[in-house]
Amino acid sequence: MLGSGTLDRLLAQGMRYMFVSNSDNLGATLDLRLLTHFAKSKAPFMMEVAERTEADKKGGHLARDAVTRDLLLRESAQCPEDDEKQFQDVSKYKYFNTN
């Protein structure tokens, strides 16, 4: 969306919120109670997470920014090869993004 200019167009049209789901989750729906909570919280983003297991080692997980300590989503593509073992440590990174 960023590279195509779509994000800029949506923002220019006044869009403030977006619901994103993977194509393999055709049953995903937006719960207006969650959207209301999110809007009131003024959080930068919200995502559905679940506890990680050994089977979830390669998926993105919740982490904290080393400088700001803000929560962020860290994907395997962002992980340097020499940090892969730590990235896959399910005892350190206990939750993964379900989307």
Side-chain angles (χ1 to χ4, degrees), residues 18-82:
M18 179 183 299
F19 176 75
V20 177
S21 179
N22 287 348
S23 61
D24 63 353
N25 188 358
L26 298 176
T29 59
L30 176 64
D31 184 324
L32 291 179
R33 293 171 297 179
L34 289 175
L35 176 57
T36 300
H37 169 76
F38 176 67
K40 287 180 178 178
S41 75
K42 303 213 186 301
F45 75 102
M46 181 163 56
M47 66 181 164
E48 181 180 17
V49 298
E51 287 188 49
R52 287 176 87 199
T53 68
E54 290 295 316
D56 306 309
K57 286 183 169 187
K58 296 192 182 217
H61 61 249
L62 277 172
R64 290 215 176 259
D65 183 278
V67 176
T68 67
R69 306 300 298 155
D70 290 340
L71 286 173
L72 54 84
L73 172 60
R74 184 175 181 222
E75 295 285 359
S76 57
Q78 298 168 303
C79 178
E81 197 173 305
D82 60 335

